[in-house]
Amino acid sequence: DVKVTQSSRYLVKRTGEKVFLECVQDMDHENMFWYRQDPGLGLRLIYFSYDVKMKEKGDIPEGYSVSREKKERFSLILESASTNQTSMYLCATIAGGYEQYFGPGTRLTVT
Amino acid sequence: RKEVEQDPGPFNVPEGATVAFNCTYSNSASQSFFWYRQDCRKEPKLLMSVYSSGNEDGRFTAQLNRASQYISLLIRDSKLSDSATYLCVVVMGGFKTIFGAGTRLFVKA
């Protein structure tokens, strides 16, 4: 079974804080993704990484950055959190048949 | 036009009913297709892959129609535990994955 874990299930941060969300997968997959999910908007891709130290912008990268120093770990960074970044953040990895496996999600509230 | 479109529902059905969801996609070069299930406040989980020949997993049947660019999911003998949001997922080249916004299903006793 593919296992994807995320560092926090719930997080409350203040506007302007730097926020780190971590994701770890145990399947040695090369590709990892960060999404945010908002009601009525579905899942939107923020960034993805296809190898260590490699990254590509997704559809909504503004206000975010990522880090992939090790194959199993992919971090999402909110440089200066804003209230419009309150959302559910989901990390995923992709298997050989293109199916994605998600972590449990981090529900971030920025006040 | 959205790249992947689903009827948001909600679909309210009694236990034992058969319910069908459709999803249309706009890019004819799309390569892989899936249905995911998402429970309230949880992550999406893979339900099944979708093939042109159709595939069945117990009470669930998925079908792909490439000519008309739609995929479908049929749930027979609905259970209370089937209540969830069902996401249609389309993969284009290079891992580009588009998620539908989801169809909500409520199965009532």
Side-chain angles (χ1 to χ4, degrees):
Chain A
D1 266 359
V2 176
K3 190 165 176 63
V4 182
T5 57
Q6 293 183 228
S7 49
S8 306
R9 293 298 298 271
Y10 299 94
L11 210 51
V12 179
K13 295 292 182 180
R14 293 188 182 276
T15 300
E17 279 193 81
K18 192 168 186 175
V19 182
F20 293 86
L21 303 181
E22 295 222 310
C23 174
V24 178
Q25 54 107 353
D26 68 352
M27 287 301 293
D28 203 35
H29 288 165
E30 292 177 344
N31 298 281
M32 297 184 74
F33 304 79
W34 274 107
Y35 295 91
R36 63 177 282 178
Q37 186 176 31
D38 301 286
L41 296 177
L43 280 117
R44 293 181 291 168
L45 181 64
I46 304 171
Y47 267 97
F48 72 97
S49 169
Y50 51 91
D51 204 347
V52 174
K53 297 190 186 295
M54 308 302 282
K55 61 187 178 185
E56 290 273 347
K57 292 180 180 179
D59 300 317
I60 51 164
E62 297 79 19
Y64 304 95
S65 62
V66 290
S67 172
R68 185 126 181 244
E69 297 296 320
K70 292 185 178 182
K71 193 174 187 179
E72 67 271 18
R73 190 178 297 269
F74 190 32
S75 301
L76 180 69
I77 303 151
L78 285 67
E79 298 290 344
S80 177
S82 63
T83 54
N84 63 14
Q85 292 178 310
T86 291
S87 186
M88 170 76 137
Y89 290 88
L90 289 154
C91 173
T93 183
I94 196 164
Y98 300 106
E99 65 273 26
Q100 294 197 16
Y101 295 92
F102 289 87
T106 296
R107 195 165 289 277
L108 172 68
T109 302
V110 182
T111 61
Chain B
R1 182 185 172 187
K2 289 183 181 177
E3 292 179 280
V4 175
E5 293 203 65
Q6 295 182 249
D7 181 342
F11 285 61
N12 293 288
V13 303
E15 269 188 298
T18 295
V19 61
F21 306 138
N22 287 329
C23 164
T24 59
Y25 60 95
S26 60
N27 191 326
S28 60
S30 299
Q31 297 175 342
S32 301
F33 307 86
F34 305 94
W35 282 102
Y36 279 69
R37 172 197 168 119
Q38 186 171 24
D39 293 297
C40 188
R41 304 180 79 82
K42 295 287 185 70
E43 75 273 25
K45 292 186 178 177
L46 178 66
L47 181 65
M48 57 199 306
S49 303
V50 189
Y51 307 111
S52 296
S53 54
N55 49 308
E56 190 172 307
D57 183 1
R59 298 180 293 108
F60 298 82
T61 300
Q63 187 78 50
L64 165 64
N65 185 320
R66 283 193 183 271
S68 301
Q69 294 181 207
Y70 79 82
I71 69 174
S72 62
L73 177 68
L74 183 77
I75 305 175
R76 290 181 298 279
D77 188 22
S78 299
K79 312 290 185 192
L80 294 176
S81 58
D82 293 334
S83 296
T85 297
Y86 291 84
L87 306 178
C88 167
V89 180
V90 175
V91 181
M92 303 175 195
F95 303 118
K96 183 172 170 63
T97 302
I98 308 297
F99 291 82
T103 298
R104 295 193 72 186
L105 172 65
F106 294 100
V107 181
K108 299 184 184 300

